[in-house]
Amino acid sequence: MAFSFTHISEEKRLKIRFAREMEFFLARRNKGIPLVHDVRRRASVKDIIESFGVPHTEIMAIGFNGVPVDFSFVPGHGGELVVAAVEPPFDVTADHLLRPALKQVKFIADLNVLKLGRYLLLLGFDVSLARQLTDGEIAAAAGKERRIVLTRDTRLLYRKKIEFARRIRASQPMVQLKETLEFFGLIPDPGLFFTRCTACNLVLTPVAKADIDLRLEPKTRKYFNHFLTCPGCDQIFWRGSHYEAVQSRFRAAGIF
Ligand SMILES: [Zn+2]
């Protein structure tokens, strides 16, 4: 909601300067022009900023007339609001003024980026796949379990419970994977590759061949000796042709 300059007195006029990266979220009519909020409409800086389309999860810092403020701050008079963007590499385990640090890097992948979620699972990251969750349930899970939300749905990210997120820009899953790793400054550990179930997000456990022998196809039984199972779905995993194929696709894309 942009307000016209003419009807707002100088002391009630809050000029807003968004970082260049945030233009992605601005309506075309608002790009490249000074934006203004009328402080007679009482609102927190989170709500003021999001009324222009920029989700709070994209914000690294907010300055009100040169003083750092948090999301709940309500400007009582005009001046200038400067909104700085989260920039890569974004270390979510370091403390920031606007959000407490995460102890671990954990994700929740929205339905529109499930393939990205599965790629991250294959790399060994902790990723909850939001296959059948509503927006409200995703936000609640992200808040409670302190997970980073990955989504292509900007509107989801206006929800207060979500602290950390990436509004994925790329459309191709392998490019999305690079985008995510680069944005959060993550370097995949090849030792963690293929250690999690891509259906359940549980860490796989080694299992003796003798214990699952009867469940194997003859060729698998003949050529492979090391097996893992998922404690959730009981699926059996081994480093067969699928493993090699996925690994070489990651290599080709420069993931590791
Ligand atoms: Zn499983």
Side-chain angles (χ1 to χ4, degrees):
M1 236 173 295
F3 288 82
S4 108
F5 277 99
T6 48
H7 306 299
I8 310 171
S9 64
E10 191 59 43
E11 74 269 21
K12 298 294 176 192
R13 184 186 294 172
L14 181 63
K15 285 182 220 146
I16 305 172
R17 283 216 332 246
F18 285 107
R20 185 172 288 256
E21 293 87 335
M22 292 169 160
E23 295 228 326
F24 174 84
F25 298 100
L26 299 180
R28 188 169 297 176
R29 65 176 186 282
N30 287 338
K31 288 188 207 280
I33 60 160
L35 297 170
V36 175
H37 171 81
D38 180 351
V39 297
R40 284 173 301 183
R41 287 180 63 252
R42 219 186 122 76
S44 68
V45 291
K46 175 183 181 293
D47 290 343
I48 294 170
I49 291 166
E50 291 187 338
S51 74
F52 289 94
V54 179
H56 68 283
T57 51
E58 297 276 330
I59 303 168
M60 186 54 130
I62 308 165
F64 174 67
N65 294 330
V67 179
V69 293
D70 66 17
F71 290 132
S72 62
F73 176 77
V74 178
H77 57 85
E80 189 177 51
L81 199 66
V82 177
V83 189
V86 170
E87 282 177 48
F90 179 25
D91 181 4
V92 296
T93 63
D95 270 318
H96 301 285
L97 184 67
L98 295 180
R99 36 186 95 78
L102 295 181
K103 286 203 175 66
Q104 291 165 282
V105 174
K106 295 192 290 185
F107 297 99
I108 181 164
D110 196 3
L111 195 62
N112 48 42
V113 289
L114 278 190
K115 197 150 192 190
L116 164 63
R118 284 203 197 91
Y119 282 159
L120 286 164
L121 277 165
L122 282 169
L123 291 172
F125 288 101
D126 181 333
V127 187
S128 167
L129 300 179
R131 278 193 210 88
Q132 291 176 358
L133 301 185
T134 62
D135 284 4
E137 289 167 337
I138 294 173
K144 195 165 161 237
E145 297 167 30
R146 304 214 69 209
R147 290 181 180 275
I148 302 166
V149 175
L150 302 173
T151 185
R152 304 241 313 152
D153 175 9
T154 302
R155 285 178 53 192
L156 170 62
L157 302 180
Y158 301 145
R159 289 177 183 262
K160 229 178 206 165
K161 284 181 184 162
I162 300 176
E163 295 173 298
F164 294 88
R166 171 66 176 173
R167 197 309 194 172
I168 298 295
R169 314 304 207 251
S171 53
Q172 207 262 329
M174 197 57 88
V175 186
Q176 293 176 343
L177 178 62
K178 287 196 86 164
E179 176 185 338
T180 305
L181 296 174
E182 279 167 19
F183 185 76
F184 293 104
L186 301 170
I187 298 160
D189 176 356
L192 292 178
F193 184 56
F194 244 54
T195 56
R196 256 173 208 276
C197 177
T198 51
C200 310
N201 187 29
L202 293 172
V203 176
L204 303 175
T205 49
V207 63
K209 191 177 180 181
D211 294 342
I212 48 147
D213 202 38
L214 294 172
R215 293 169 60 194
L216 300 174
E217 299 287 336
K219 268 194 179 161
T220 311
R221 191 182 297 131
K222 186 171 171 193
Y223 294 111
F224 298 95
N225 292 308
H226 300 287
F227 297 90
L228 298 159
T229 57
C230 169
C233 66
D234 203 34
Q235 206 186 323
I236 302 168
F237 297 83
W238 63 94
R239 299 192 164 189
S241 55
H242 173 65
Y243 172 85
E244 302 291 346
V246 177
Q247 199 174 37
S248 61
R249 270 166 67 202
F250 282 146
R251 281 227 178 80
I255 303 298
F256 61 66

